Amino acid sequence: MADVAATMVPTLVTGSAIDRTQIDRIVLRPSSNVQDTTMEGETVLLDLSSGRYYTLNQLGSVIWEHCTGHTILRDIHTVLCDRFDVAPERALDDLVNLVNELIQEGLLQQERR
């Protein structure tokens, strides 16, 4: 019984890439050193630790707004498919690629559930 309970505790993972097979187990949240603002459908991110700015287009902005620490990647994928005229495979590729870039830059942190 203790082993099952241990697997249900979220584990914070930093710096490692995610892949398509993990979308039912990964939840993302912004790193504590990131400030964001949305203007005209685009999101601007400021990494306070490095002083670097990043700009996300409309698709990236939708992904970012759902990275709250509560939504699994599969649900974000569903939102993308519902909101944009895009093939599900393409939406998944774009989602995984962007979140991996944001993780690599230290802007997002992932939890495995």
Side-chain angles (χ1 to χ4, degrees):
M1 186 74 167
D3 289 338
V4 174
T7 61
M8 297 176 71
V9 175
T11 304
L12 183 63
V13 181
T14 56
S16 62
I18 61 165
D19 65 45
R20 300 161 67 94
T21 64
Q22 300 170 318
I23 66 171
D24 289 320
R25 298 187 313 265
I26 300 291
V27 173
L28 299 166
R29 64 178 171 84
S31 297
S32 60
N33 59 334
V34 176
Q35 295 290 316
D36 63 78
T37 188
T38 301
M39 300 179 295
E40 299 178 17
E42 292 188 339
T43 300
V44 177
L45 307 175
L46 170 60
D47 182 347
L48 297 172
S49 64
S50 69
R52 293 180 68 179
Y53 284 91
Y54 301 82
T55 304
L56 302 176
N57 63 15
Q58 187 178 13
L59 178 70
S61 295
V62 170
I63 293 169
W64 182 262
E65 79 181 43
H66 286 87
C67 292
T68 61
H70 303 289
T71 307
I72 61 171
L73 284 177
R74 164 119 17 239
D75 293 340
I76 297 172
H77 177 250
T78 300
V79 168
L80 297 179
C81 291
D82 290 345
R83 251 182 162 169
F84 298 96
D85 184 22
V86 62
E89 285 295 311
R90 174 67 188 267
L92 184 56
D93 288 342
D94 289 347
L95 172 60
V96 169
N97 290 337
L98 179 63
V99 298
N100 277 328
E101 287 181 41
L102 296 173
I103 290 167
Q104 184 176 22
E105 290 295 320
L107 303 172
L108 280 178
Q109 295 180 329
Q110 59 178 308
E111 296 176 0
R112 290 199 171 107
R113 304 263 165 134

